[in-house]
Amino acid sequence: MGDVHFSREKAGKGVVLFFFWMLSLISLSCAARLSVSRQKLQVQNYLNRLNKPAVKTIQSPDGDIIDCVHLSRQPAFDHPFLKDHKIQMRPSYHPEGLFDENKVSDTEKPKKGSNPITQLWHMNGKCPDGTIPIRRTKEEDVLRASSVKRYGRKKHRAIPQPRSADPDLINESGHQHAIAYVEGDKYYGAKATINVWEPKIQQPNEFSLSQLWILGGSFGEDLNSIEAGWQVSPDLYGDNNTRLFTYWTSDAYQATGCYNLLCSGFIQINSAIAMGASISPVSAYRNSQYDISILVWKDPKEGHWWMQFGNDYVLGYWPSFLFSYLADSASMIEWGGEVVNSEPDGHHTSTQMGSGRFPEEGFGKSSYFRNIQVVDDSNNLKAPKGLGTFTEQSNCYDVQTGSNGDWGHYFYYGGPGKNPNCP
């Protein structure tokens, strides 16, 4: 009898334990479901805030949705300091003089003889005057980021430091660069014509970009940066297209700033060019070469930092109050390429920079920056004095400068990443 009693007791305990086990499984799956639905709700709220009501919507051939949003409804005006801001429809001054009215021909096609580069969404329509084109952010875009908070932001310390103690050490964040730079003066802007390619990216969490940096402050926690160029970033955009982008930060990428119009800051006035939209066509090896011109300068009257794309499109401005050091001037300008090397499989990434070819291959094969200039305190475009170059690992990505009559100061840069000399 005793044995029977004991086994009943044991069975009873087993049932109780099974019951608790089932209960914990159910509560775990409920918690997981709750966490997923909470995340979905968080993402949905974020998208509702970010994607502004559109006057017109254009479906781009690459899958992007371009919303034509009224000027006064753009994300910039979510910023508490911009509640009563009166939009400046044109800068007071352009480098080398008073602003030329013709430069805000924003819905016209570029003039004959200028570069035939356009954006893919133009094939299916254009935004009306008084609106700006904004690439719509989709749920899957945000879900690819590590968190809603990190979406659209660069990682901390992702900036090339030419004076870092040991240039042979890859900087801690796995970012690698091949750049030309100037420092030691006050700079009020920079310009460059940048060759456009579609570099291959090995891992979705890596990117490849070519840009100019306008920098103020130290490389510590207070760095101010304005950046513009082209990038391929599967994580950010969900594809491998080459896209026009901008970035800004006033605290070394910690809490302020973002790509394109993904936070309040940059005020766009132009209805023809969309930040983050695909650029077309791109250069091909030993074939047609395409480049874009970017100019960023400080309006000496209002103090805002303006951006121009090509010869015809003044895109808008970063209000000076966003910055501390750049509210006055920049102390360093950098031009060049950057990739993320996440060292997949313990080896250097094969993500390409520029065309994926080394500088010595030259025109038609290697990627270039030409006619690089800085804006001086008299608002004039000048050749950069004392141009330096920097790369962490020149056998992975390299840079070579030169100058001539047609191209002014220029450099070829880039590389394939992983190769027999870059294991």
Side-chain angles (χ1 to χ4, degrees):
M1 284 292 284
D3 284 351
V4 172
H5 177 72
F6 179 71
S7 61
R8 273 200 196 126
E9 201 176 287
K10 210 171 173 184
K13 273 185 181 162
V15 168
V16 170
L17 281 172
F18 178 74
F19 174 72
F20 276 115
W21 178 71
M22 283 299 288
L23 209 61
S24 65
L25 271 185
I26 289 165
S27 63
L28 272 173
S29 85
C30 282
R33 272 209 295 274
L34 202 66
S35 142
V36 166
S37 61
R38 194 179 290 133
Q39 187 196 25
K40 263 193 159 356
L41 187 67
Q42 194 187 13
V43 169
Q44 219 33 68
N45 289 340
Y46 176 73
L47 290 173
N48 292 341
R49 275 201 316 275
L50 190 62
N51 294 321
K52 305 301 182 188
V55 173
K56 175 182 174 181
T57 292
I58 298 163
Q59 185 75 48
S60 176
D62 60 358
D64 279 1
I65 298 168
I66 301 293
D67 289 323
C68 305
V69 173
H70 193 275
L71 269 171
S72 61
R73 304 288 298 267
Q74 63 182 296
F77 296 109
D78 292 344
H79 199 293
F81 286 8
L82 287 171
K83 285 283 176 270
D84 304 313
H85 181 80
K86 188 175 183 313
I87 301 177
Q88 249 192 286
M89 289 310 290
R90 61 196 192 91
S92 313
Y93 288 86
H94 191 265
E96 291 162 349
L98 202 60
F99 187 71
D100 171 9
E101 282 290 354
N102 297 330
K103 286 203 168 61
V104 190
S105 55
D106 63 53
T107 48
E108 290 170 25
K109 286 192 170 63
K111 295 165 185 57
K112 272 191 181 137
S114 69
N115 223 324
I117 276 199
T118 178
Q119 290 189 306
L120 279 177
W121 66 275
H122 292 165
M123 290 166 72
N124 291 344
K126 61 182 191 176
C127 282
D129 285 346
T131 69
I132 64 158
I134 302 180
R135 179 183 184 269
R136 187 185 298 177
T137 300
K138 300 171 186 164
E139 186 179 14
E140 58 264 32
D141 293 333
V142 184
L143 291 174
R144 277 192 307 273
S146 55
S147 70
V148 168
K149 211 173 164 193
R150 291 306 308 160
Y151 173 66
R153 298 183 186 277
K154 278 192 179 189
K155 289 192 171 56
H156 191 26
R157 300 198 190 287
I159 204 122
Q161 278 182 258
R163 298 182 309 286
S164 59
D166 186 354
D168 294 329
L169 288 175
I170 299 170
N171 77 13
E172 65 207 73
S173 60
H175 288 239
Q176 285 190 259
H177 308 85
I179 63 161
Y181 68 96
V182 288
E183 60 177 336
D185 207 343
K186 287 187 165 194
Y187 307 100
Y188 296 85
K191 187 177 183 190
T193 298
I194 311 172
N195 198 203
V196 182
W197 293 82
E198 195 173 87
K200 300 277 174 288
I201 313 296
Q202 185 179 336
Q203 304 276 106
N205 64 331
E206 299 179 333
F207 64 62
S208 180
L209 56 76
S210 297
Q211 66 170 60
L212 55 83
W213 287 260
I214 288 175
L215 302 167
S218 71
F219 282 85
E221 309 295 289
D222 60 357
L223 184 78
N224 287 199
S225 181
I226 289 174
E227 306 168 28
W230 60 259
Q231 68 182 155
V232 176
S233 176
D235 234 13
L236 186 57
Y237 303 105
D239 61 24
N240 291 292
N241 290 1
T242 302
R243 294 166 175 276
L244 173 72
F245 83 95
T246 60
Y247 201 94
W248 70 274
T249 179
S250 60
D251 62 358
Y253 308 101
Q254 293 175 95
T256 61
C258 59
Y259 281 111
N260 307 322
L261 303 180
L262 295 174
C263 62
S264 53
F266 185 80
I267 296 172
Q268 185 159 335
I269 58 162
N270 184 287
S271 66
I273 301 294
M275 302 291 199
S278 303
I279 296 170
S280 177
V282 297
S283 305
Y285 183 70
R286 286 187 166 163
N287 212 317
S288 300
Q289 298 298 297
Y290 295 94
D291 49 33
I292 57 173
S293 287
I294 288 176
L295 165 64
V296 175
W297 81 100
K298 194 173 199 292
D299 184 336
K301 190 172 172 212
E302 301 290 338
H304 305 321
W305 287 89
W306 284 82
M307 177 176 167
Q308 180 175 313
F309 177 75
N311 296 320
D312 305 300
Y313 303 123
V314 172
L315 299 190
Y317 57 96
W318 290 270
S320 61
F321 77 80
L322 294 173
F323 304 103
S324 48
Y325 295 97
L326 288 179
D328 173 41
S329 62
S331 53
M332 188 173 196
I333 308 287
E334 297 177 347
W335 300 264
E338 176 184 350
V339 299
V340 174
N341 171 28
S342 64
E343 296 197 355
D345 319 320
H347 297 289
H348 194 288
T349 182
S350 59
T351 286
Q352 298 174 329
M353 183 190 288
S355 66
R357 302 283 175 157
F358 282 116
E360 51 268 26
E361 293 202 40
F363 186 78
K365 299 169 191 169
S366 181
S367 192
Y368 61 78
F369 276 62
R370 64 181 172 90
N371 300 110
I372 60 176
Q373 292 175 298
V374 295
V375 179
D376 68 10
D377 57 2
S378 308
N379 203 33
N380 286 318
L381 280 159
K382 292 267 168 72
K385 270 199 200 85
L387 196 63
T389 60
F390 169 79
T391 180
E392 289 91 349
Q393 284 184 296
S394 57
N395 46 358
C396 306
Y397 311 106
D398 204 5
V399 57
Q400 287 181 4
T401 57
S403 66
N404 64 33
D406 289 339
W407 278 23
H409 283 66
Y410 67 87
F411 60 90
Y412 285 100
Y413 71 102
K418 187 181 175 188
N419 68 73
N421 298 318
C422 169

